[in-house]
């Protein structure tokens, strides 16, 4: 009778652990899904606004570039290569500034992870909790 109770207890314990594990995994999967859905909702708004912003910035950039080229060309007036040199000077300046910006952008991306941070923090806390529970039952 004691053996039968022990077996029933062990069997019910295994079923309970399995159900808790299913619930645990389901909860964590739901957390990841919600975080990704939030990111997607934000992207649906941000992407069109970003495209409009890029178009306007590009237009402004090209007009500014032409103004700088014209200013440099007028400073080089009398030189038969004034426009060529003006375009060359501006191209070198923009390329140098772009390289500096690319370096800083690369540095920022290199230091960041792409996975949802809140979920990773919760999973780390769960890992510590599970380790503590496992040690206390051994």
């Amino acid at each position: 009778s004691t053996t039968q109770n022990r077996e029933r207890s062990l069997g019910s314990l295994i079923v309970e652990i399995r159900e808790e594990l299913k619930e645990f995994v389901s909860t964590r999967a739901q957390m990841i899904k919600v975080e990704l859905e939030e990111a997607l909702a934000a992207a649906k708004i941000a992407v069109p606004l970003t495209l409009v912003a890029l178009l306007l910035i590009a237009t402004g950039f090209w007009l500014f570039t032409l103004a700088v080229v014209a200013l440099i060309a007028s400073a080089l007036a009398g030189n038969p290569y004034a426009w060529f040199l003006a375009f060359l000077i501006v191209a070198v300046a923009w390329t140098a500034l772009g390289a500096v910006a690319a370096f800083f952008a690369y540095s920022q991306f290199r230091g960041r992870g792409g996975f949802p941070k809140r979920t990773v923090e919760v999973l780390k806390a769960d890992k510590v909790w599970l380790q503590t529970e496992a040690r206390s039952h051994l």
Side-chain angles (χ1 to χ4, degrees), residues 3 15 31 37 63 67 69-70 73 77 79 87 90 97 103 119 135:
T3 307
V15 168
M31 286 175 61
E37 285 173 354
L63 291 172
V69 167
N79 186 329
F87 276 108
V90 172
L97 290 172
F103 172 77
T119 303
R135 286 186 190 124

Side-chain angles (χ1 to χ4, degrees), residues 92-115:
V92 168
W94 279 194
T95 302
L97 290 172
V100 169
F103 172 77
F104 285 119
Y106 174 74
S107 297
Q108 284 297 312
F109 280 120
R110 188 179 53 184
R112 303 257 188 263
F115 205 72

